Amino acid sequence: MLNNITRRTLARILGGSAAALSLPRVGFATEGASAPSTHSAGTTRTFPSDFLWGSATASYQVEGAVHEAGRGPSIWDTFSHTPGKTHNGDTGDVADDFFHRYKEDIQIMKGLGLKTFRFSVSWSRIFPTGTGSPNPQGLDFYHHLADALLEAGIQPFCTLYHWDLPQTLQDKGGWENHDTSKAFADYAGYTAGKLSDKVRHFMTMNEMRTFVDVGNREGRHAPGLKLDDKRLAQLNHHVVLGHGLAVRAIRATVKPGTKVGLAENISATTPVVESPEHIEAAHKALREENASFLTVVQEGRYTDLYLKRLGENAPRFTAEEMEIIRSPLDFVGINIYQPMYVRADNSEKGYAVVPPPSSYPHMFSPWLNVGPEGIYWGPKLVHEVWKVKEMYITENGASSNDHLTPEGKVYDTDRVMFLRNYLTQLQRGVSEGVPVKGYFLWSLLDNYEWADGYEKRFGIIYVDFATQQRTPKLSAEFYKQVIAKNAVS
Ligand code: PNW
């Protein structure tokens, strides 16, 4: 009441409307976040003062230097060099040359005001053949990177596996081989232990779903396999087991207080309409649609419907393995690009997935449907269903058909539109108490977009791949402003 009177009185004195004045909200930073005088009515959508604004990259997509410092080949070297597998035959041989240019790129991050940066370690830089003796030169690179980030006041977040399996391990069956899970845990424990005086947050794997499905079922990503249901389900089991073993191995080597999680592109089940029956359907769908990934990691069991659907193709596993898979996590990282729309249904599942009509709007990548409310529902449901207390959006961003103007500018208004709308929905969740503690924009730089090569650009910094010149896009200006205001408008 007092607030209302104060607002009105103030508004009268200032000659504006009460609604145009944004008063501090408990627990939220307002410094530098107040609406400019020209702003139209409405509250400023602020984030908590300790919210971590960041960006994300992955080793093979940015580093280049594939033959340097003792690095061994990974499945992505093999795949990208196989004719016909990638757009234009593009490879990550040079990519953004981040291996040599990370210091300059960190200055760009600093200029944007980033508080954190997510990178991944290339397994075959640390263990060139996947197991055996470590390569100290490989580790040196990540030490230097972490040092340079810390010096710039940027917290490093480290992913241990972003799809670049050492080729030697693929030659022995890759994730189909039970031993790969153990090899991953050994590598992850060793590497995290070495970096943990500098890195406080580790993620075991990035997007188990994508490398299992796109790499080993569809064959569009490395290693390019098209496994049947039975082999794929067993491979999937070795992947989640590798994650669980790695969680334990990391905890055994890192400094106290180090946090361990993962980064998963959950099916972000989103009610088609926000009514009780569709919301209930989205809850059910979250568990089923993520059954062999985040659900089994959280619950230590495959859902009944998942096992029933697979029937005799269901994976073989032991009770001990299921305990390992559900090793408790300190945080869950969620990569969100698009929602999965769900409606209530009278079927056994209790919901139905609604495929997008062909007219559904998408970004430059045909799969990247624009559905900002997915970033509201995804973390909210993960929090409600599994009581997860600490989450990060470990990836969110968009591809655009970017072009440099003759004056050397990139006006990526579509990416700005995408980010503004997703961040607005993220703020909606955070302001309601969904415990998302930070946001990593994918990506800082245009980079090697896997099978799409260099055609699909996701950066907020434009990269001329012929000269390696970096040019901030309009979206970089937008993001810098979001960070400075700690608010989206
Ligand atoms: C993620 N899909 O991949 C990866 O983690 C990044 O390495 C990648 O560059 C980024 O998103 C943009 O693509 C995905 O088809 C690839 O839904 C494909 C899909 C989702 C994520």
Side-chain angles (χ1 to χ4, degrees):
M1 201 54 200
L2 186 65
N3 268 356
N4 282 341
I5 293 164
T6 313
R7 283 168 68 108
R8 273 194 216 109
T9 313
L10 261 173
R12 254 202 315 276
I13 295 166
L14 297 173
S17 78
L21 290 170
S22 69
L23 289 177
R25 297 170 64 167
V26 181
F28 282 75
T30 51
E31 239 185 353
S34 56
S37 55
T38 52
H39 205 281
S40 57
T43 51
T44 308
R45 292 181 284 265
T46 54
F47 285 81
S49 57
D50 55 355
F51 195 78
L52 285 180
W53 295 105
S55 76
T57 59
S59 48
Y60 190 69
Q61 294 182 273
V62 298
E63 285 177 5
V66 291
H67 301 299
E68 285 180 52
R71 177 185 180 276
S74 82
I75 56 174
W76 268 97
D77 297 285
T78 310
F79 187 78
S80 66
H81 280 272
T82 306
K85 297 295 184 191
T86 68
H87 174 82
N88 210 22
D90 289 346
T91 74
D93 285 2
V94 179
D96 290 319
D97 195 27
F98 184 74
F99 190 81
H100 298 116
R101 295 171 192 260
Y102 67 94
K103 285 188 182 149
E104 293 96 293
D105 290 337
I106 289 171
Q107 289 313 304
I108 296 176
M109 298 177 207
K110 201 174 165 181
L112 290 171
L114 293 195
K115 314 221 175 303
T116 178
F117 177 68
R118 175 179 172 233
F119 65 92
S120 84
V121 173
S122 156
W123 183 346
S124 62
R125 283 196 193 280
I126 311 297
F127 292 96
T129 57
T131 56
S133 316
N135 163 36
Q137 283 178 284
L139 199 58
D140 279 352
F141 170 66
Y142 298 104
H143 271 300
H144 294 150
L145 175 60
D147 285 339
L149 286 165
L150 291 172
E151 207 181 300
I154 299 171
Q155 276 190 50
F157 270 55
C158 173
T159 313
L160 290 154
Y161 184 73
H162 201 125
W163 309 352
D164 41 1
L165 187 74
Q167 182 60 44
T168 317
L169 295 185
Q170 188 62 44
D171 297 340
K172 295 177 187 162
W175 289 105
E176 279 200 271
N177 185 338
H178 196 271
D179 293 345
T180 299
S181 314
K182 172 75 169 54
F184 175 61
D186 290 346
Y187 146 72
Y190 173 82
T191 306
K194 292 290 182 193
L195 293 175
S196 94
D197 52 345
K198 296 166 187 168
V199 179
R200 313 304 294 142
H201 294 79
F202 288 96
M203 285 145 282
T204 56
M205 294 181 181
N206 179 72
E207 298 196 357
M208 302 184 287
R209 177 195 298 282
T210 309
F211 75 85
V212 168
D213 275 355
V214 185
N216 291 280
R217 182 171 61 80
E218 298 175 28
R220 288 190 293 116
H221 281 183
L225 299 178
K226 294 183 178 172
L227 300 181
D228 61 28
D229 286 355
K230 188 178 181 67
R231 286 173 67 181
L232 193 79
Q234 195 62 44
L235 176 148
N236 187 142
H237 180 68
H238 297 158
V239 167
V240 289
L241 177 61
H243 155 81
L245 287 169
V247 171
R248 294 186 175 193
I250 295 167
R251 289 207 196 285
T253 57
V254 293
K255 295 224 153 89
T258 308
K259 293 191 172 178
V260 187
L262 84 180
E264 183 59 10
N265 59 329
I266 58 165
S267 288
T269 55
T270 299
V272 280
V273 171
E274 296 187 4
S275 63
E277 69 271 24
H278 295 311
I279 292 172
E280 176 61 25
H283 266 93
K284 289 180 186 155
L286 181 78
R287 289 186 66 251
E288 289 307 332
E289 296 299 318
N290 296 289
S292 63
F293 303 109
L294 194 57
T295 304
V296 71
V297 163
Q298 292 295 331
E299 301 183 11
R301 61 186 294 271
Y302 293 113
T303 66
D304 295 340
L305 282 175
Y306 174 75
L307 294 176
K308 186 171 158 189
R309 181 170 63 75
L310 280 173
E312 59 178 18
N313 296 325
R316 282 171 288 106
F317 55 83
T318 66
E320 192 199 346
E321 286 175 348
M322 299 315 272
E323 274 306 301
I324 293 168
I325 290 167
R326 74 151 182 197
S327 301
L329 300 177
D330 301 301
F331 69 92
V332 168
I334 303 178
N335 295 1
I336 292 215
Y337 288 90
Q338 50 177 337
M340 173 186 267
Y341 287 117
V342 160
R343 63 171 171 82
D345 190 50
N346 287 332
S347 61
E348 185 183 16
K349 293 193 297 188
Y351 69 90
V353 173
V354 180
S358 62
S359 55
Y360 198 97
H362 61 80
M363 300 302 288
F364 197 29
S365 306
W367 56 267
L368 215 175
N369 292 331
V370 181
E373 65 275 36
I375 208 171
Y376 170 77
W377 285 102
K380 178 181 165 72
L381 294 184
V382 167
H383 173 58
E384 287 175 4
V385 171
W386 294 303
K387 311 291 171 241
V388 173
K389 304 256 174 358
E390 181 170 336
M391 288 179 281
Y392 296 88
I393 300 302
T394 33
E395 284 181 28
N396 172 246
S399 50
S400 301
N401 193 0
D402 297 319
H403 288 290
L404 278 177
T405 65
E407 298 77 40
K409 305 279 188 198
V410 180
Y411 294 111
D412 53 340
T413 49
D414 54 346
R415 184 177 285 106
V416 172
M417 173 281 294
F418 181 99
L419 294 172
R420 177 184 288 120
N421 282 286
Y422 276 70
L423 288 174
T424 299
Q425 287 289 322
L426 178 63
Q427 194 276 344
R428 176 186 173 203
V430 172
S431 67
E432 288 175 14
V434 178
V436 175
K437 309 293 184 188
Y439 171 90
F440 295 81
L441 198 160
W442 186 275
S443 184
L444 180 72
L445 306 169
D446 293 335
N447 59 45
Y448 182 67
E449 178 56 13
W450 308 112
D452 290 335
Y454 296 100
E455 195 205 12
K456 298 289 191 294
R457 294 173 176 272
F458 274 81
I460 56 171
I461 307 291
Y462 184 89
V463 177
D464 178 334
F465 292 104
T467 61
Q468 291 294 338
Q469 194 181 330
R470 276 79 163 131
T471 305
K473 304 177 191 176
L474 185 67
S475 53
E477 188 181 325
F478 170 78
Y479 195 43
K480 184 177 177 170
Q481 184 180 294
V482 168
I483 297 172
K485 289 184 175 178
N486 203 27
V488 57
S489 55

